[in-house]
């Protein structure tokens, strides 16, 4: 976020390797499975909260998967990721300071978690983004530990917030404009266009 070209361009190019259409296509089944799992948890309920039950947990689960985090660590990662993007309940100095302190603790906890995962991947590479970033070079230099940690936290937070909003806004659009929902229901080939427009 605070880096300028040409280094920013080169570092962005590294991460983009994990988000090529081919790489995302390989994740498609996993995304579908996780989505079905989340929806199955609420299918017998009369109502559910689209944000809490689907839109908020799904992106973190996918990003954690991309980074190579353990399945059992998703809740922890989600909790800290949410803390990093939290806002103060009011504009009092105390409320703002409480959020700043919470965000600082969350960043420290995520740094510890990802430092451990980076160490593990240096010893035993896997088919994940962290392993890819560890092996990557920019102008003949590998990323530093701080750059690796920064990437992990940035991807986690940026992907969490934006994708949660995308899912939520899409559902809101479909509920507020039922003719669009009906068009998509009758012609599922419109789903990619709906997603892009949202």
């Amino acid at each position: 976020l605070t880096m300028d070209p040409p280094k920013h361009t080169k570092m962005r190019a590294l991460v983009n390797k994990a988000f090529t259409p081919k790489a995302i296509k390989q994740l498609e089944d996993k995304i579908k499975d996780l989505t079905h799992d989340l929806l199955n948890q609420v299918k017998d309920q009369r109502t559910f909260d689209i944000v809490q039950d689907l839109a908020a947990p799904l992106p973190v689960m996918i990003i954690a998967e991309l980074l190579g985090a353990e399945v059992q660590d998703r809740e922890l990662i989600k909790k800290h990721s949410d803390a990093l993007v939290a806002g103060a309940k009011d504009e009092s100095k105390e409320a703002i300071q409480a959020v700043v302190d919470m965000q600082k603790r969350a960043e420290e906890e995520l740094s510890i978690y990802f430092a451990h995962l980076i160490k593990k991947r240096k010893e035993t590479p896997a088919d994940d983004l962290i392993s890819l970033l560890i092996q990557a070079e920019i102008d003949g230099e590998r990323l530093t530990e701080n750059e690796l940690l920064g990437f992990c936290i940035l991807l986690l937070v940026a992907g969490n917030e934006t994708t949660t909003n995308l899912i939520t806004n899409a559902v809101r659009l479909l509920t507020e404009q039922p003719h669009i929902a009906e068009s998509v229901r009758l012609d599922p080939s419109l789903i990619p266009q709906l997603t892009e427009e949202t």
Side-chain angles (χ1 to χ4, degrees), residues 27 30 34 60-69 71 74 128:
L27 268 178
K30 188 67 169 175
L34 290 171
V60 173
M61 294 166 84
I62 300 302
I63 294 166
E65 176 92 10
L66 271 172
L67 290 169
V71 172
R74 287 179 185 157
D128 58 34

Side-chain angles (χ1 to χ4, degrees), residues 67-144:
L67 290 169
E70 301 292 333
V71 172
Q72 65 268 21
D73 297 334
R74 287 179 185 157
E75 282 299 315
L76 173 80
I77 291 169
K78 173 76 176 134
K79 175 184 153 197
H80 293 314
S81 177
D82 287 347
L84 285 175
V85 296
K89 301 266 188 258
D90 58 62
E91 293 185 25
S92 68
K93 286 183 180 179
E94 295 80 17
I96 293 169
Q97 188 59 52
V99 168
V100 168
D101 293 344
M102 179 180 65
Q103 289 172 334
K104 191 174 185 179
R105 282 191 306 276
E107 187 169 357
E108 288 169 0
E109 291 295 324
L110 284 171
S111 293
I112 291 167
Y113 177 83
F114 285 120
H116 173 73
L117 191 53
I118 289 166
K119 182 177 186 280
K120 210 164 135 180
R121 290 299 182 260
K122 283 182 177 178
E123 294 166 1
T124 311
D127 186 21
D128 58 34
L129 185 53
I130 288 179
S131 297
L132 176 73
L133 292 173
I134 289 168
Q135 296 165 16
E137 292 184 8
I138 299 178
D139 296 334
E141 292 182 21
R142 295 197 185 269
L143 298 176
T144 66

Side-chain angles (χ1 to χ4, degrees), residues 15-29:
V15 177
N16 280 346
K17 291 177 184 176
F19 296 99
T20 62
K22 181 183 175 188
I24 297 302
K25 184 75 176 154
Q26 291 173 335
L27 268 178
E28 190 174 329
D29 287 340

